[in-house]
């Protein structure tokens, strides 16, 4: 179990829990990012923040401060 | 006579941002709404029409949204339009490269509107990525009409048109007596229905009868309305109240809702979450059954490689600067030739027309006003201002269509975050290069109101298309003198520096605003990085060059011509010994002198309020009133400016003030329209002007000290 911002690129993870304010939670929900969703980090911005993740086939950039609130665990590709 | 069939229908077009919705819209209606490769390009609704089998269809292009959840303004507009049955058919455009996510919205739309079609777009792109979608299976699993398209190449569009026709007319047929039985196919009898789980389903069944009356009156679907009320969706309830139906007044319904929630042991919020999850799960399941992925193709790998480089730690910023410099260089180098050609011929024509009119017996003052006033400013705008615009704009559009702009936002986000602003401001900033008014409108993609206002106020620090020909002219006249490739490269680099200075001001002012007037913390930021798409080079070049040229020409005629007339009158009406122009510029000249400018150029900035393109032409008009200059090539113009007291100091001041002063009238009007606030509009004019004045005075002082 680790937070999303600590993940390594190109490894598959499964979302275990999301602990974020409702407004942000809703935003992620719309993108299909909920408990159980598979994610994969694909890009990191030059300064290390934000990073882009593959979520349901789309590349989504998420700031590290929110990625911290998302717990994931590694899963098979 | 049989009963007359309805002959016009409304079709709503929805979809996630950046799935090619506008391309589908354009392809259907033959309109030319601009498309770009980034999420949020379409703001506001666009309307268009097409005729198919003698039937008239109106297509409404709703703003792109991720869900029908009514979180943002765009989503509210879209879901209200769909839920209240304003359309005969709703098409959800899906991205076949990430169908799973697109289906979430498609299913929400299918739940809320009576007739819906799933349009699986971007099939070409998906094929390149090795993604295959089984359209037939998708249709069978969902019971919805599914059409596969590739709107850019026109693939599948006829099928889409005929599906729209079928959907619209079959609904009509079931209502009217005159039923045409031939189009009642087996598919259409299936009904789309999401399984929300036993508890919620049973609650819905118990409520449906009670909401029937409201559903009929508002055109909403019974089941959808029941769920919305069970969820206690504040937006739907207030929308109902606005149409005259107060749910809270219906005690029976309210009690039943409350009882049902108690019976199944779920709160309104639980129901919302659970229902949304059911939709996501169904989308997940459907996509897993209908979509097959092959191994990563070379196309995907290439995209990833490019992304690695353009967002790389050491490569990202040099590439951004180089691309900007390259575009500016092509603009400067390329604009030279048409500029010289146009100016030579237009000014030659000036003499011919002047002589011609005089010999035809037209009074000299009319000739002067029309030719030396109106015509000359027009000729100036066309020959010096137009070519750089006509080159820059298409180049910028190419970069936009390619999908590079969101990467800029991705790279710059942490810098914007430090200024307590939104990374998407980078996108609106880029739009500002084309036109500040467009940039301001684009700020709608920023969700937080505070951050949106920061972006709107600071947009003007990016020089728009109308301003950087002025910058180019000054650079090539005072800083990088000479011809040839070497000099144009140098000019481009110099201009890049000037623009970087403008970007720096954007950051600085954003920071200051966030710390003072618009206090707050940075809000949530999610940004989609779309796949790169090959732009249709020739059509982009032709279309945007032509559109831009026509736009600038129109503006030149509407605004520059009267301005030219005013300047000519000011210069030729005398009060005592001196002309009005002289009196006014003399009056403001002490203040202008403090800023390192002169009265004429400051007056030109003020008169250039309607359009920034005409600032330099106005100044030159004023300067040339005394001298008989017939052609203004580079060297003549340079000596004209020098003889009027221009030097390095003044050139720098003019550039600073060009970069930092009140936005043009169009932009200010747009700001007011977007914010509905006089205060913000006033601030947008005041802040850059004050900063410009301070910087110019500083510049003047520095030169005095040297």
């Amino acid at each position: 179990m680790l937070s999303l911002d600590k993940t390594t690129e190109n490894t598959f993870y499964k979302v275990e829990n999301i602990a974020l304010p409702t407004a942000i939670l809703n935003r992620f929900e719309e993108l299909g990012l909920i408990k159980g969703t598979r994610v994969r980090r694909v890009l990191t911005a030059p300064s290390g923040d934000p990073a882009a993740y593959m979520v349901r086939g789309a590349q989504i950039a998420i700031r590290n401060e929110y990625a911290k609130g998302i717990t994931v665990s590694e899963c098979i590709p | 006579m049989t009963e007359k069939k309805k002959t016009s229908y409304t079709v709503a077009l929805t979809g996630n941002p950046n799935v090619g919705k506008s391309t589908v819209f354009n392809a259907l209606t033959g309109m030319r709404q601009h498309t770009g490769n980034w999420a949020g390009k379409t703001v506001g609704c666009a309307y268009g029409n097409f005729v198919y089998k003698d039937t008239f269809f109106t297509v409404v292009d709703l703003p792109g949204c991720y869900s029908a959840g009514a979180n943002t303004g765009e989503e509210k507009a879209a879901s209200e339009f769909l839920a209240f049955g304003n359309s005969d058919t709703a098409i959800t455009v899906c991205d076949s490269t990430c169908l799973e996510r697109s289906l979430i919205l498609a299913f929400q739309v299918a739940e809320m509107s009576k007739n819906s079609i799933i349009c699986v777009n971007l099939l070409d792109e998906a094929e390149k990525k090795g993604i295959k979608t089984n359209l037939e299976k998708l249709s069978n699993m969902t019971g919805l009409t599914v059409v596969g398209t590739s709107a850019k190449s026109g693939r599948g569009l006829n099928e889409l048109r005929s599906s729209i026709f079928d959907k619209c007319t079959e609904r009509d047929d079931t209502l009217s007596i005159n039923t045409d039985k031939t189009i009642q196919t087996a598919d259409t009898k299936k009904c789309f229905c999401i399984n929300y789980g036993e508890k919620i389903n049973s609650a819905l069944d118990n409520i449906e009868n009670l909401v029937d009356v409201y559903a009929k009156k508002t055109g909403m679907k019974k089941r959808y309305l029941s769920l919305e009320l069970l969820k206690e969706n504040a937006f739907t309830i207030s929308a109902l109240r606005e149409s005259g139906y107060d749910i809270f007044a219906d005690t029976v319904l309210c009690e039943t809702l409350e009882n049902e929630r108690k019976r199944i042991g779920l709160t309104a919020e639980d129901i919302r979450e659970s229902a949304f999850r059911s939709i996501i799960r169904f989308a997940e399941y459907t996509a897993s059954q209908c979509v097959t992925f092959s191994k990563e193709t070379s196309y995907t790998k290439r995209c990833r490689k490019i992304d690695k480089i353009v967002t790389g730690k050491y490569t990202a910023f040099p590439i951004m600067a180089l691309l900007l410099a390259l575009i500016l260089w092509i603009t400067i180098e390329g604009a030279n030739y048409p500029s010289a050609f146009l100016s030579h011929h237009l000014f030659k024509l000036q003499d011919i027309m002047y002589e011609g009119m005089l010999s035809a017996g037209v009074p000299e003052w009319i000739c002067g006003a029309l030719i030396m006033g109106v015509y000359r400013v027009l000729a100036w705008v066309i020959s010096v201002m137009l070519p750089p615009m006509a080159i820059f704009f298409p180049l910028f559009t190419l970069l936009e269509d390619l999908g590079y702009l969101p990467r800029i936002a991705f790279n710059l986000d942490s810098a914007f975050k430090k200024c307590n602003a939104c990374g998407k401001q980078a996108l609106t900033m880029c739009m500002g290069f084309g036109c500040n008014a467009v940039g301001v409108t684009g700020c709608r993609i920023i969700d937080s109101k505070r951050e949106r206002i920061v972006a709107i106020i600071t947009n003007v620090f990016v020089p728009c298309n109308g301003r950087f020909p002025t910058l180019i002219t000054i650079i090539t006249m005072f800083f990088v003198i000479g011809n040839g490739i070497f000099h144009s490269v140098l000019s481009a680099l110099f201009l890049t520096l000037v623009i970087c200075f403008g970007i720096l001001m954007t950051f600085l002012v954003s920071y200051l605003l966030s710390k003072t007037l618009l206090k707050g913390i940075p809000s949530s930021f999610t940004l989609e990085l779309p796949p790169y798409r090959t732009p249709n080079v020739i059509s982009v070049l032709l279309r945007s060059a032509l559109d831009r040229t026509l736009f600038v020409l129109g503006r030149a005629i509407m605004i520059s011509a009267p301005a030219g007339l005013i300047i000519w009158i000011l210069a030729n009406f005398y009060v005592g010994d001196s002309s009005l122009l002289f009196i006014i510029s003399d009056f403001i000249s002490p203040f202008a002198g403090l800023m390192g400018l002169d009265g004429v150029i400051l007056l030109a900035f003020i008169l250039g309020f309607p359009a920034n393109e005409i600032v330099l032409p106005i100044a030159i008009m004023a300067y040339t009133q005394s001298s008989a200059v017939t052609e203004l090539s580079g060297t003549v113009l340079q000596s004209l400016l020098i003889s009027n007291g221009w030097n390095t100091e003044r050139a720098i001041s003019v550039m600073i003030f060009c970069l930092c002063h009140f936005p043009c009238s169009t932009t200010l009007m747009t700001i007011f329209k977007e914010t509905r606030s006089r205060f913000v509009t006033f601030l947008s004019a005041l802040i850059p002007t004050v900063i410009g004045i301070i910087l110019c005075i500083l510049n003047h002082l520095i030169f005095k000290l040297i």
Side-chain angles (χ1 to χ4, degrees), chain B residues 10 78 142 201 236 288 337 405 498 535 583 607 612 636-637 671:
Chain B
T10 309
T142 57
N201 283 346
T236 309
S288 71
Y337 309 101
L405 299 193
V498 174
I583 294 169
L607 287 173
N612 281 304
V636 182
L637 178 59
I671 292 174

Side-chain angles (χ1 to χ4, degrees), chain B residues 245-259:
Chain B
Y245 307 106
D246 192 353
I247 296 297
F248 293 121
D250 187 337
T251 45
V252 181
L253 178 59
C254 282
E255 255 167 50
T256 318
L257 284 170
E258 204 49 54
N259 288 339

Side-chain angles (χ1 to χ4, degrees), chain B residues 439-479:
Chain B
V440 167
T441 316
C443 289
R444 287 186 200 169
I445 57 164
I446 299 171
D447 302 324
S448 140
K449 196 182 171 202
R450 185 190 70 83
E451 287 164 6
R452 189 163 53 234
I453 291 175
V454 170
I456 287 176
I457 292 177
T458 53
N459 195 270
V460 73
F461 289 111
V462 177
C464 67
N465 235 317
R467 278 187 285 166
F468 68 75
T470 308
L471 296 173
I472 293 174
T473 312
I474 294 171
I475 287 171
T476 51
M477 241 153 245
F478 288 92
F479 299 99

Side-chain angles (χ1 to χ4, degrees), chain B residues 339-403:
Chain B
S339 262
F341 175 83
L342 283 169
S343 111
H344 179 76
H345 288 278
L346 287 174
F347 284 99
K348 208 153 108 194
L349 199 64
Q350 172 186 313
D351 295 344
I352 298 169
M353 277 162 54
Y354 192 71
E355 296 296 325
M357 280 173 86
L358 271 185
S359 58
V362 180
E364 204 180 336
W365 68 272
I366 293 182
C367 295
L370 286 182
I371 304 297
M372 296 304 172
V374 177
Y375 180 78
R376 197 191 281 180
V377 169
L378 265 181
W380 242 94
V381 170
I382 292 169
S383 63
V384 177
M385 300 287 151
L386 190 58
M389 290 181 205
I391 296 174
F392 178 86
F393 206 69
L395 286 178
F396 179 79
T397 314
L398 277 182
L399 213 55
E400 193 189 338
D401 286 4
L402 196 65

Side-chain angles (χ1 to χ4, degrees), chain A residues 9 24 26-31 42-47 49-50 52 56-61 63 65-66, chain B residues 67 71-72 75 98 100-101 272 276 280 284 308 311 410-411 413-414 417 421 447 523-524 526-529:
Chain A
E9 275 181 24
I24 299 157
N26 286 346
R27 205 84 206 130
F28 285 160
E29 226 172 48
E30 290 180 355
L31 298 166
V42 282
L43 281 177
T44 310
S47 65
D49 182 24
R56 296 185 195 274
Q59 274 187 65
I60 313 282
R63 280 181 179 167
E65 54 181 307
Y66 307 119
Chain B
S67 83
N71 282 324
T72 63
E75 286 170 14
C98 59
E100 192 180 331
R101 199 194 60 199
R272 189 198 67 80
F276 190 63
I280 293 187
E284 208 169 350
K308 279 276 177 227
T311 64
F410 184 66
N411 290 337
D413 176 60
S414 66
K417 195 181 139 198
D447 302 324
S523 73
S524 74
T526 50
L527 174 78
E528 190 166 350
L529 300 179

Side-chain angles (χ1 to χ4, degrees), chain B residues 589-630:
Chain B
S589 149
F591 181 66
L594 201 63
M595 292 166 59
L597 304 170
D598 64 8
V600 168
I601 188 80
L602 188 58
L603 185 65
F605 271 114
I606 296 167
L607 287 173
F609 176 60
N612 281 304
E613 292 94 319
I614 61 170
V615 171
L616 206 55
I618 287 179
I620 286 153
M621 272 276 305
Y623 289 142
T624 52
Q625 277 310 313
S626 48
S627 53
V629 180
T630 50

